Amino acid sequence: INNKAKAYPLGLLMSHEIVNDKIDSLEFTVTYCPLCNTSNVYNRNITFKGKKYLLDFGTSGMLRKSNLVMWDRQTESWWQQITKKAIVGKLAGAELKQLPSQLLSIKDFFESYPDGEILCYCMNNMKYGRNPYYKYDDLETKTPRLFFGNVHPALPAMTRILSINNIKKIYPFPVLKKRGVVPDNIGEKDLVIFFKEGQVSVVDEKLIKDSRNVGTATLFIPEIEGKKLRFKRNNNYFIDKNSNSKWLITGKCVSGKFKGKKLTALPYSVNFAFVWFAFFPESVLHK
């Protein structure tokens, strides 16, 4: 935002789950539910029933279908993280606006944003480097924690999926990993998903740094200056077939005709399959 970038370590968010912050005039809340892997950023300004609110959020201590239930300190309403909606209280029925954000490795973040800021903590506090959910995202896990519904049969419970804001279509990581670049369209809107290796799970080994690689997925509008682009993956980069320009996983062009340009990012989430289907069972699975 205005050439300013901020990052929030999942190792820290695993303990605190919510950070209220701002960049210039944009006030937002960063949320993370480790049991669902749902990491969404929302605008803290809403208008509901003709009244404007600037909210700041905390964790209620409650879960619903294993998903984080947040609360706002201004009205004490409760909010479902994955649906963006208030479910109890004065603001029940209100909906937060999800902002485009990306789940990245720290290496990819600083490659694209060398002057970016990252939320820090005392490095002597090893709590933030530890995972209390040992082997939680093992694909053999049949019963996710504090989830008492039936796991949807379409995918193993702990399969990571990319889901698109307000559109009930999901893209499993195994498909994205195999293809590298997935072009698609929703109605008349073209989109493209990039996938590369290089991001570790934070709910695998006891020490996060020892965890396995699960990869990175990001979502964009494949268009620059009115020109539609077609991409292919080349190792850790993405090449547009139109100009042979080279792009990073963040949508930033680093060489070629479009050097310095950036693709428009779209809001998305990376969730475990079981929780997405629990809230949106009618979703279409991209194969």
Side-chain angles (χ1 to χ4, degrees):
I1 301 167
N2 297 332
N3 295 316
K4 299 175 184 177
K6 289 187 176 183
Y8 305 82
L10 295 189
L12 190 152
L13 287 172
M14 189 177 300
S15 295
H16 301 283
E17 297 189 350
I18 294 176
V19 177
N20 298 289
D21 203 353
K22 63 184 293 186
I23 297 178
D24 293 344
S25 62
L26 180 62
E27 294 154 315
F28 54 87
T29 187
V30 179
T31 70
Y32 177 61
C33 177
L35 296 183
C36 303
N37 198 61
T38 306
S39 176
N40 293 348
V41 178
Y42 299 117
N43 192 323
R44 294 195 282 130
N45 287 276
I46 70 164
T47 300
F48 185 63
K49 294 183 178 179
K51 186 175 180 180
K52 294 182 178 181
Y53 298 86
L54 171 59
L55 305 175
D56 62 279
F57 291 89
T59 58
S60 70
M62 305 295 173
L63 295 169
R64 180 166 170 257
K65 300 181 183 179
S66 199
N67 181 244
L68 166 66
V69 176
M70 314 184 298
W71 70 292
D72 72 76
R73 295 182 175 91
Q74 284 65 38
T75 73
E76 299 189 357
S77 300
W78 287 13
W79 300 74
Q80 192 75 59
Q81 184 221 17
I82 195 169
T83 67
K84 311 183 288 292
K85 294 181 179 180
I87 53 176
V88 175
K90 181 178 180 179
L91 299 180
E95 183 172 335
L96 299 171
K97 179 183 179 183
Q98 185 177 349
L99 301 174
S101 61
Q102 295 174 336
L103 200 56
L104 303 169
S105 69
I106 190 171
K107 179 180 178 181
D108 287 331
F109 174 73
F110 281 116
E111 183 178 11
S112 285
Y113 309 106
D115 297 321
E117 298 179 354
I118 188 166
L119 186 62
C120 285
Y121 45 82
C122 176
M123 296 305 293
N124 293 325
N125 189 341
M126 290 302 293
K127 173 182 74 171
Y128 292 123
R130 296 184 181 273
N131 164 33
Y133 306 106
Y134 177 63
K135 294 296 183 183
Y136 178 65
D137 63 351
D138 192 312
L139 288 178
E140 298 301 317
T141 298
K142 306 296 183 184
T143 53
R145 289 195 185 191
L146 300 173
F147 181 73
F148 306 106
N150 296 319
V151 173
H152 198 285
L155 291 169
M158 311 311 287
T159 304
R160 282 174 169 80
I161 58 148
L162 182 146
S163 58
I164 300 176
N165 181 36
N166 291 333
I167 297 171
K168 307 305 183 287
K169 188 171 186 180
I170 61 174
Y171 303 80
F173 267 39
V175 174
L176 301 179
K177 181 178 179 178
K178 182 177 181 180
R179 295 184 61 188
V181 173
V182 175
D184 203 356
N185 59 75
I186 303 296
E188 296 182 354
K189 179 183 286 188
D190 290 324
L191 57 88
V192 66
I193 299 169
F194 290 171
F195 185 93
K196 69 181 284 284
E197 302 290 344
Q199 183 180 157
V200 300
S201 166
V202 295
V203 287
D204 179 27
E205 297 292 343
K206 292 180 179 179
L207 290 178
I208 294 173
K209 68 181 180 65
D210 297 330
S211 295
R212 76 185 192 284
N213 189 307
V214 294
T216 300
T218 50
L219 176 68
F220 307 98
I221 298 174
E223 185 176 304
I224 288 289
E225 298 174 347
K227 297 181 177 66
K228 292 185 178 181
L229 305 180
R230 295 180 300 123
F231 291 91
K232 63 180 180 180
R233 186 177 64 188
N234 184 358
N235 296 320
N236 287 328
Y237 297 96
F238 302 87
I239 309 299
D240 76 73
K241 299 177 183 179
N242 310 63
S243 71
N244 211 37
S245 298
K246 182 188 290 187
W247 304 74
L248 300 177
I249 187 71
T250 56
K252 182 178 180 180
C253 185
V254 291
S255 72
K257 177 181 178 181
F258 297 118
K259 183 178 180 180
K261 300 290 185 181
K262 200 167 187 298
L263 297 174
T264 299
L266 296 172
Y268 71 96
S269 300
V270 176
N271 318 101
F272 292 134
F274 83 88
V275 70
W276 184 262
F277 279 123
F279 284 95
F280 308 108
E282 72 282 9
S283 294
V284 175
L285 182 64
H286 181 89
K287 298 181 179 181

